Amino acid sequence: KQEVTQIPAALSVPEGENLVLNCSFTDSAIYNLQWFRQDPGKGLTSLLLIQSSQREQTSGRLNASLDKSSGRSTLYIAASQPGDSATYLCAVFKTGANNLFFGTGTRLTVIP
Amino acid sequence: DARVTQTPRHKVTEMGQEVTMRCQPILGHNTVFWYRQTMMQGLELLAYFRNRAPLDDSGMPKDRFSAEMPDATLATLKIQPSEPRDSAVYFCASGLVLETQYFGPGTRLLVL
């Protein structure tokens, strides 16, 4: 079974700082990896999707990288803002499993 | 803009009662997923449908849970009888391909 781990579970940073969220997975046979954002009481919003053949994806202040061989992904957020405060989840789509496997998330707080 | 809708948003019920959660997928999406999110387990896939046919419900406790798609615009998840351990947020997601899913806002269930 695919295990997805996110460290740290919670992170607080002052506004303006750059930060990195980490995701690791045990089985490198993945089709893609996604980073989602979840606001309190809300559903999940997909932020970035990296195909297994790619090494990174960028959207605005967000950059996600993927190292499939080592089972790791990072989400880099530049110049953090209070509006970035949310829980960030990574999920891998395992080849043949027809299923997304989610990490337990990192709760980010950006302090004004 | 198109989005997945779920009703009710909140449900409080007593142990032993039947609970029905409803989901309206994005028009045109042929794949529908049900997830459960708890603090301890994170997000877990319960079941998913393609073209209204159940493809995988291995994550669902069969004795009390049932999922159906009466038509292309409605998916239901029922729990009968409900138990306190069923308390969680239940998410519906829809998509055109398995690896790209759009999430609804969730139904927050509390079983007393």
Side-chain angles (χ1 to χ4, degrees), chain A residues 31 34 38 41 43 98-99, chain B residues 9 37 45 48 91 98-99 104:
Chain A
Y31 188 72
Q34 294 186 66
Q38 185 176 23
N98 296 328
N99 188 6
Chain B
R9 293 294 312 277
Q37 186 177 40
L45 178 70
Y48 74 92
F91 287 103
L98 292 176
E99 62 269 23

Side-chain angles (χ1 to χ4, degrees), chain A residues 31-32 34 36 38 41-44 49 89 93 98-100 102, chain B residues 9 35 37 42-43 45 48 91 98-101 103-105 108:
Chain A
Y31 188 72
N32 64 35
Q34 294 186 66
F36 290 86
Q38 185 176 23
K42 302 285 181 62
L44 280 70
L49 184 152
L89 297 104
F93 192 88
N98 296 328
N99 188 6
L100 276 175
F102 283 86
Chain B
R9 293 294 312 277
Y35 289 90
Q37 186 177 40
L43 262 167
L45 178 70
Y48 74 92
F91 287 103
L98 292 176
E99 62 269 23
T100 305
Q101 303 174 22
F103 281 75
R108 188 172 298 271

Side-chain angles (χ1 to χ4, degrees), chain B residues 1-6 24-27 94 102-105:
Chain B
D1 72 308
R3 58 183 67 187
V4 176
T5 58
Q6 291 185 247
Q24 183 173 8
I26 293 173
L27 190 63
S94 72
Y102 297 84
F103 281 75

